[in-house]
Amino acid sequence: MNKIEINNLTFNYKSGKSEYLALDDISLSVKQGEFVCVIGSSGCGKSTLITLLAGLQTGFTGEALIDGVQITGPGTERSVVFQHYSLFPWMSTKKNIIFGMEQVKKWSNAEMSSRADEYLKRVGLAEYADKYPKELSGGMRQRVAIARSLAVESEILLMDEPFGAIDTKNRMDLQELLLELCAKENKDKNGKTVVFVTHDIDEAILLADRIIFMEPKRIKEEIAVPFGKDRKRKEVVASEEYSVLRRKLVSLFYAELSSKVGGEEVVL
Ligand code: ADP
Ligand code: MG
C-alpha cells in the first residue's frame, strides 16, 4: 500500500460567492520512505497540496489517503515545516521542541526532555537549548523547526519551502543536514516519507528520489532521480545524470514561460 495516495483530487478556494480552482484532478502516490520534491512556478498550487495533505484545509473532492485512510484533518503521523518559522516566541528552543512532543502524548516528561536535548544536538544547537527564537538567526530557527518535526517521530514529513528564506550557504548546510537525518532515520527505522516543496531546481535534484513538476493546477511530469539515500552533494553535482536532470527541469520551466508569451517551445 502507498503511504500517501491522491486520486483525482480537485480543490476550490471559496470565499463568499467566488471560487478559485487551485488543484484540478491531480493524482499522485508516494511510497513509504520515499523523498518526493514538488517543484513548479509560484501560484501553481504547491502550498495548497501541502495544506491538504497536512489536513489543515478540507473540502476537496476525490481521494487523499494516508495508509489507505481518507484525510479529514491533521494527525500525529504527519508533521509540517513551513517557510516561515512556526516557533513560539515565548518558549525557549528546547520548550518549543518539547511542545511538539506533548501533542503526541507518547513520552514522559523526562523522556521528552532528553529527546529534545538529543535532537538539538543532532541539528547542531546543543548550546542553544535555553535561548529564545529572537536570539537565533533564521537558519538556526529553521534547524529548531526541523528538530521539532523529527522529535515527534511522525512517519510523514511535509515541508513547504522550508529553506526558502535562508541564504545560500546556510541553505546548503540545512539541505545536507536534512539528507543526513533522513538517511539516518532510514537506517534506524522504516524510513520517513517526505513531501518537500521547493522552486529551486538544484535543491530538488539534491534531495529527491522523485521530482513532481507542477504546472498551474496540475501535475505535468514525474521525474525519477537516480541517486541513492547516501548521496553526497559533491558526487551528485559532478555526475552526468545531474546535468541531464537540470536541463530537463530548466526546459520544463522554459516551456511554461514560452507558452505564456506565445513564443515557440524552447528545447535545450
Ligand atoms: P504555490 O504554493 O505553488 O505558490 P498556492 O498553493 O499558494 O501556490 O496557490 C495556488 C493558487 O491558489 C494561487 O493562484 C493562489 O492565488 C490561490 N490561493 C491560495 N490561497 C488562497 C486562498 N486562501 N483563497 C483563494 N485563493 C488562494
Ligand atoms: Mg507556496
Side-chain angles (χ1 to χ4, degrees):
M1 190 197 299
N2 288 311
K3 193 73 188 165
I4 301 173
E5 192 163 318
I6 296 172
N7 294 315
N8 308 105
L9 181 147
T10 294
F11 180 73
N12 278 290
Y13 281 107
K14 294 188 182 93
S15 67
K17 277 186 187 153
S18 66
E19 282 200 12
Y20 179 82
L21 177 64
L23 292 173
D24 184 13
D25 195 26
I26 66 165
S27 296
L28 168 71
S29 33
V30 184
K31 292 198 282 290
Q32 160 139 35
E34 199 178 9
F35 197 127
V36 164
C37 277
V38 179
I39 195 166
S41 48
S42 188
C44 69
K46 305 181 295 298
S47 294
T48 304
L49 179 61
I50 291 288
T51 52
L52 291 174
L53 288 174
L56 299 172
Q57 202 134 231
T58 50
F60 55 85
T61 62
E63 281 185 326
L65 312 171
I66 305 286
D67 292 322
V69 180
Q70 182 85 331
I71 296 170
T72 53
T76 55
E77 77 289 351
R78 285 161 278 157
S79 57
V80 197
V81 181
F82 293 107
Q83 176 173 350
H84 293 291
Y85 340 108
S86 37
L87 302 179
F88 296 115
W90 61 89
M91 291 181 190
S92 68
T93 54
K94 181 166 173 178
K95 186 71 187 80
N96 262 287
I97 296 174
I98 290 175
F99 179 83
M101 285 186 273
E102 281 169 349
Q103 313 313 305
V104 185
K105 300 185 178 73
K106 199 162 137 189
W107 301 279
S108 69
N109 286 346
E111 282 168 334
M112 288 193 288
S113 176
S114 67
R115 286 176 62 79
D117 289 334
E118 184 201 322
Y119 279 92
L120 274 169
K121 198 167 139 205
R122 277 204 202 170
V123 298
L125 292 176
E127 273 104 71
Y128 292 82
D130 299 323
K131 299 272 188 223
Y132 284 80
K134 69 172 188 312
E135 299 175 273
L136 306 178
S137 69
M140 286 170 164
R141 285 184 221 171
Q142 217 45 339
R143 279 169 190 265
V144 178
I146 290 169
R148 182 174 62 185
S149 68
L150 293 176
V152 296
E153 275 188 347
S154 60
E155 297 154 44
I156 298 173
L157 205 49
L158 304 169
M159 306 182 95
D160 190 0
E161 303 200 34
F163 311 145
I166 293 170
D167 66 273
T168 307
K169 184 180 147 291
N170 277 309
R171 185 171 185 151
M172 288 169 82
D173 195 27
L174 283 169
Q175 289 164 347
E176 276 161 35
L177 174 70
L178 182 62
L179 269 183
E180 201 182 293
L181 293 172
C182 285
K184 184 172 181 337
E185 301 263 329
N186 272 295
K187 287 204 183 92
D188 292 351
K189 301 175 201 98
N190 292 326
K192 268 207 195 311
T193 308
V194 187
V195 181
F196 184 108
V197 165
T198 181
H199 52 241
D200 185 296
I201 288 176
D202 296 303
E203 184 164 81
I205 302 173
L206 178 72
L207 298 176
D209 297 317
R210 187 156 48 105
I211 298 173
I212 310 297
F213 187 92
M214 281 185 73
E215 59 181 13
K217 310 178 200 306
R218 289 177 203 95
I219 291 170
K220 180 159 190 186
E221 200 156 329
E222 297 193 18
I223 302 158
V225 180
F227 312 114
K229 293 282 187 199
D230 287 321
R231 62 185 74 176
K232 296 280 173 285
R233 183 191 300 274
K234 248 185 163 171
E235 294 158 14
V236 168
V237 173
S239 70
E240 183 57 34
E241 292 97 328
Y242 177 77
S243 316
V244 173
L245 283 167
R246 226 180 168 284
R247 267 202 300 278
K248 166 94 192 155
L249 287 163
V250 171
S251 302
L252 283 166
F253 275 111
Y254 242 139
E256 214 175 290
L257 191 68
S258 57
S259 72
K260 260 194 198 131
V261 296
E264 284 173 23
E265 190 171 330
V266 183
V267 180
L268 296 175

